[in-house]
PDB file of all heavy atoms in Angstrom:
ATOM      1  N   PRO B 967       3.438  -0.855  11.179  1.00 80.00           N
ATOM      2  CA  PRO B 967       3.120   0.387  11.794  1.00 80.00           C
ATOM      3  C   PRO B 967       1.647   0.547  11.984  1.00 80.00           C
ATOM      4  O   PRO B 967       0.896  -0.212  11.283  1.00 80.00           O
ATOM      5  CB  PRO B 967       3.686   1.355  10.866  1.00 80.00           C
ATOM      6  CG  PRO B 967       3.804   0.744   9.510  1.00 80.00           C
ATOM      7  CD  PRO B 967       4.016  -0.623   9.849  1.00 80.00           C
ATOM      8  N   PRO B 987      -7.209  19.546  16.815  1.00 94.00           N
ATOM      9  CA  PRO B 987      -7.096  18.070  16.965  1.00 94.00           C
ATOM     10  C   PRO B 987      -6.368  17.895  18.358  1.00 94.00           C
ATOM     11  O   PRO B 987      -5.705  18.692  18.922  1.00 94.00           O
ATOM     12  CB  PRO B 987      -6.094  17.726  15.787  1.00 94.00           C
ATOM     13  CG  PRO B 987      -5.380  18.917  15.476  1.00 94.00           C
ATOM     14  CD  PRO B 987      -6.366  20.046  15.818  1.00 94.00           C
ATOM     15  N   ARG B 992      -3.412  14.876  15.945  1.00 95.00           N
ATOM     16  CA  ARG B 992      -2.431  15.907  15.308  1.00 95.00           C
ATOM     17  C   ARG B 992      -1.328  15.147  14.636  1.00 95.00           C
ATOM     18  O   ARG B 992      -0.976  15.381  13.472  1.00 95.00           O
ATOM     19  CB  ARG B 992      -1.913  16.974  16.202  1.00 95.00           C
ATOM     20  CG  ARG B 992      -1.011  17.944  15.483  1.00 95.00           C
ATOM     21  CD  ARG B 992      -0.583  19.064  16.300  1.00 95.00           C
ATOM     22  NE  ARG B 992      -1.613  19.925  16.926  1.00 95.00           N
ATOM     23  CZ  ARG B 992      -2.007  19.902  18.169  1.00 95.00           C
ATOM     24  NH1 ARG B 992      -1.427  19.116  19.026  1.00 95.00           N
ATOM     25  NH2 ARG B 992      -2.962  20.640  18.597  1.00 95.00           N
ATOM     26  N   ARG B1039       7.687  -1.866   6.842  1.00 86.00           N
ATOM     27  CA  ARG B1039       6.888  -3.138   6.650  1.00 86.00           C
ATOM     28  C   ARG B1039       7.664  -4.260   6.282  1.00 86.00           C
ATOM     29  O   ARG B1039       7.566  -5.397   6.782  1.00 86.00           O
ATOM     30  CB  ARG B1039       5.616  -2.863   5.798  1.00 86.00           C
ATOM     31  CG  ARG B1039       4.649  -2.064   6.383  1.00 86.00           C
ATOM     32  CD  ARG B1039       3.385  -1.951   5.499  1.00 86.00           C
ATOM     33  NE  ARG B1039       2.292  -1.175   6.128  1.00 86.00           N
ATOM     34  CZ  ARG B1039       1.473  -0.344   5.546  1.00 86.00           C
ATOM     35  NH1 ARG B1039       1.637  -0.167   4.290  1.00 86.00           N
ATOM     36  NH2 ARG B1039       0.630   0.326   6.327  1.00 86.00           N
ATOM     37  N   LEU B1054      12.262 -22.435  14.424  1.00 93.00           N
ATOM     38  CA  LEU B1054      12.141 -23.749  13.641  1.00 93.00           C
ATOM     39  C   LEU B1054      13.474 -24.680  13.834  1.00 93.00           C
ATOM     40  O   LEU B1054      13.360 -25.691  14.147  1.00 93.00           O
ATOM     41  CB  LEU B1054      11.816 -23.597  12.271  1.00 93.00           C
ATOM     42  CG  LEU B1054      11.634 -24.835  11.400  1.00 93.00           C
ATOM     43  CD1 LEU B1054      10.365 -25.630  12.050  1.00 93.00           C
ATOM     44  CD2 LEU B1054      11.362 -24.573   9.928  1.00 93.00           C
ATOM     45  N   GLU B1103      20.670 -92.018  28.613  1.00 65.00           N
ATOM     46  CA  GLU B1103      21.334 -93.058  29.554  1.00 65.00           C
ATOM     47  C   GLU B1103      20.322 -94.155  29.719  1.00 65.00           C
ATOM     48  O   GLU B1103      20.753 -95.206  29.718  1.00 65.00           O
ATOM     49  CB  GLU B1103      21.474 -92.305  30.911  1.00 65.00           C
ATOM     50  CG  GLU B1103      22.665 -91.347  30.978  1.00 65.00           C
ATOM     51  CD  GLU B1103      22.888 -90.814  32.402  1.00 65.00           C
ATOM     52  OE1 GLU B1103      22.251 -91.231  33.384  1.00 65.00           O
ATOM     53  OE2 GLU B1103      23.651 -89.863  32.496  1.00 65.00           O
ATOM     54  N   ALA B1104      18.972 -93.857  29.795  1.00 60.00           N
ATOM     55  CA  ALA B1104      18.076 -94.921  29.870  1.00 60.00           C
ATOM     56  C   ALA B1104      18.057 -95.738  28.582  1.00 60.00           C
ATOM     57  O   ALA B1104      17.900 -96.970  28.695  1.00 60.00           O
ATOM     58  CB  ALA B1104      16.652 -94.399  30.141  1.00 60.00           C
TER      59      ALA B1104
END
Side-chain angles (χ1 to χ4, degrees):
R992 182 180 297 109
R1039 285 186 177 139
L1054 184 62
E1103 287 177 11

